Amino acid sequence: MKPPALKLPFAETSAKALPIRSFTAAQWGKDSRREPAATRAWAEAQGFAAKPGQVLLLPDAAGRPRAVLAGLPEQADLWSYAALAAALPEGDYRLDFQPANADDAALGWALAGYRFDRYRKTQATSGAKPLARLVLPKAANKARVQAIYEAMALARDLITTPSNDLGPAELAAAAQSVAKRFKAQCRVITGEQLLKQNYPLIHMVGRAAAPQRQPRLIDITWGSPKAPKVTLVGKGVCFDSGGLDIKPPAGMLMMKKDMGGAAIMLGLAQAIMALKLPIRLRLLIPAVENAISADAFRPGDVCRSRKGLTVEIGNTDAEGRLILADALAEADGEKPELLLNAATLTGAARVALGPDLPALFSTDDALADALLAAGRVTGDPFWRLPLHSPYRDYLDSKVADINNAGDTPFAGSITAALFLRDFVSNTKAWAHLDVYAWTARPRPGRPAGGEAMGLRALLHILEQRYR
Ligand code: BES
Ligand code: MN
Ligand code: ZN
């Protein structure tokens, strides 16, 4: 995968940039009477009330724009600035005020220009107008904004790319190119080697795929071995047909995005390396296609996992937790200071929380609280669900240590998280995010397609802890 387009919509000089003044609707209601009569009349004629997303160009005597009035919500986040950028005509602008978070303002502005254009290069076919340009606010850290933009664009591009162009091999190639760019070590264990090196569940789930789409484990390490260990794990199911317990068409339609957790964690890893956070980073991505063939794994099969626990297959469509079990067992063996997992793991999490709120599970209350707080300040929120131990017996098997699917449809997201928990025993600070990784209802800065949910909040807690 090629690196995302790096040309961000930032203007170099402010000489000709139009100033943007911002108001909340309440402020406008109070303060507009202090504006010149012509401005008030113009605002009224245009129906400008400083509602979030509203903009008004003010003309000079010659009818050329001289300034912009913009409505922002009380708690403007990056998406407020994406909406602002998207509402303005082409040209150069500067903020005539100090945004609460300059990096988020710049990032949101830049994201308004994000497009997935791999299959539609021209403006005419992608429907994009050139984005307004922003003079970076003084307080903004350009390198950081760029790193986060690139991380999000990488994750989005990977998620939106269809499975015919993004199988396990291509996902591994994308990871390798990120590793190379930052001189990280990258090891990929492929196909039969997974059995030799004791990743039986990853092999079992992925073995039905075509030879060039064999399963693999991507393993990146970066940073000083003496620095605190932070390990990221992401579900990399490059297509989830459901296996033999085949998905119905409506459910299968979206399943190119089932590597969303992997894409988000690869994007996060890239941002961590670009920002040189002083940690010893490890990224583990089990990358598979959950395919159907004569060699597909079956309901009722029993497989011994890397950790030694035997797993009975109740449903081949509960494949994500299987590949994550082997990856988490490997991660947990090193006892990292922090172990973070992201996965498009269950439909049940979406039933509970809808598409925009990843479910957060953690055995560590302090970590969960820190993540929830990070989600709030970054506008990248989660909602915590419980690892309710009494539900663990939904996963009891009559022949093996654990079954991969519950015997009831209740609490599906919780039982999936409880399954994962059995494979993490040494690490104190472990958190699992069950993410949708997709925007269905487009908004400014968030076109329909893959979304890097959780990336910015996770980066935030890492920056807080380690910088
Ligand atoms: N990848 C799916 C979960 C999913 C579905 C995420 C739709 C986002 C949108 C996962 O592999 C899956 O199929 N989970 C099953 C588990 C069940 C068979 C126990 C589910 O959630 O229905
Ligand atoms: Mn599945
Ligand atoms: Zn899946």
Side-chain angles (χ1 to χ4, degrees):
M1 167 130 329
K2 67 165 175 49
L6 304 184
K7 194 82 196 79
L8 295 189
F10 299 133
E12 289 308 327
T13 106
S14 63
K16 283 190 305 208
L18 293 181
I20 300 175
R21 299 169 56 203
S22 82
F23 299 88
T24 64
Q27 276 170 345
W28 179 254
K30 276 199 289 125
D31 299 348
S32 57
R33 72 182 83 100
R34 278 190 248 135
E35 300 292 323
T39 301
R40 274 182 290 148
W42 179 244
E44 192 170 324
Q46 300 284 341
F48 179 80
K51 294 206 190 92
Q54 264 190 324
V55 298
L56 182 70
L57 270 71
L58 299 180
D60 65 12
R64 287 180 298 246
R66 63 173 169 86
V68 176
L69 304 184
L72 286 178
E74 210 74 62
Q75 308 278 325
D77 65 6
L78 76 168
W79 308 121
S80 314
Y81 288 90
L84 177 54
L88 289 169
E90 198 180 349
D92 290 359
Y93 300 85
R94 65 182 168 83
L95 302 180
D96 202 18
F97 59 96
Q98 305 228 333
N101 184 323
D103 282 7
D104 280 356
L107 178 64
W109 191 290
L111 285 169
Y114 169 81
R115 305 233 151 31
F116 179 74
D117 60 4
R118 177 166 174 163
Y119 302 99
R120 289 197 304 184
K121 286 287 182 241
T122 68
Q123 244 186 62
T125 52
S126 70
K129 68 166 169 118
L131 187 68
R133 298 198 308 166
L134 178 70
V135 176
L136 264 194
K138 285 242 158 31
N141 176 342
K142 186 174 182 183
R144 181 171 178 275
V145 171
Q146 172 124 8
I148 301 175
Y149 178 90
E150 284 183 29
M152 292 180 71
L154 172 64
R156 288 175 172 190
D157 287 353
L158 290 169
I159 296 168
T160 311
T161 301
S163 301
N164 58 318
D165 281 332
L166 196 103
E170 290 81 7
L171 184 55
Q176 264 159 332
S177 97
V178 170
K180 196 167 162 210
R181 181 169 159 199
F182 295 99
K183 300 192 168 60
Q185 203 194 96
C186 183
R187 209 165 58 110
V188 181
I189 304 169
T190 306
E192 293 288 314
Q193 274 300 320
L194 288 167
L195 288 178
K196 294 217 176 69
Q197 298 192 38
N198 193 27
Y199 292 96
L201 291 175
I202 300 174
H203 181 269
M204 177 183 71
V205 172
R207 74 185 184 212
Q212 67 280 12
R213 298 172 73 88
Q214 281 302 292
R216 50 207 88 199
L217 177 66
I218 302 159
D219 185 353
I220 290 179
T221 51
W222 172 88
S224 162
K226 285 182 232 126
K229 287 185 170 68
V230 174
T231 300
L232 311 177
V233 179
K235 171 177 170 180
V237 175
C238 295
F239 187 72
D240 183 9
S241 71
L244 290 173
D245 284 344
I246 190 168
K247 281 187 183 297
M252 206 188 296
L253 192 56
M254 303 280 298
M255 285 298 123
K256 69 174 181 182
K257 77 170 175 80
D258 213 19
M259 32 56 72
I264 290 165
M265 289 313 202
L266 180 60
L268 176 60
Q270 177 178 283
I272 289 168
M273 295 188 283
L275 297 172
K276 300 191 172 64
L277 291 191
I279 59 175
R280 206 297 309 248
L281 174 68
R282 190 172 189 200
L283 170 67
L284 287 167
I285 296 177
V288 305
E289 174 164 354
N290 189 15
I292 297 174
S293 79
D295 196 29
F297 72 123
R298 313 158 194 85
D301 284 358
V302 174
C303 183
R304 185 178 303 277
S305 68
R306 177 174 190 78
K307 194 182 169 81
L309 295 174
T310 54
V311 182
E312 181 186 16
I313 304 308
N315 193 317
T316 63
D317 200 6
E319 84 296 340
R321 64 196 73 180
L322 296 171
I323 63 172
L324 289 170
D326 276 356
L328 287 170
E330 168 58 19
D332 185 58
E334 276 193 309
K335 205 176 177 199
E337 189 171 298
L338 204 52
L339 174 55
L340 303 169
N341 176 63
T344 51
L345 202 61
T346 68
R350 271 37 291 165
V351 174
L353 299 173
D356 296 346
L357 270 180
L360 161 66
F361 295 89
S362 184
T363 40
D364 181 329
D365 288 340
L367 174 60
D369 289 344
L371 280 164
L372 292 172
R376 276 191 298 269
V377 301
T378 56
D380 191 12
F382 314 111
W383 204 264
R384 191 176 183 187
L385 293 181
L387 283 158
H388 188 58
S389 297
Y391 293 162
R392 170 58 181 79
D393 66 17
Y394 292 9
L395 298 172
D396 285 350
S397 163
K398 294 204 169 59
V399 295
D401 294 323
I402 192 169
N403 195 294
N404 80 326
D407 56 4
T408 94
F410 294 144
S413 179
I414 295 173
T415 52
L418 287 170
F419 182 94
L420 298 182
R421 188 180 70 175
D422 274 13
F423 296 86
V424 179
S425 37
N426 301 313
T427 310
K428 182 175 175 290
W430 166 62
H432 154 57
L433 298 176
D434 192 336
V435 298
Y436 193 54
W438 191 263
T439 298
R441 188 169 54 89
R443 284 150 287 176
R446 287 178 277 189
E451 181 54 293
M453 289 169 187
L455 190 156
R456 288 176 309 105
L458 294 180
L459 182 64
H460 184 85
I461 63 149
L462 296 175
E463 288 182 318
Q464 247 177 357
R465 283 181 186 219
Y466 299 114
R467 214 176 38 188

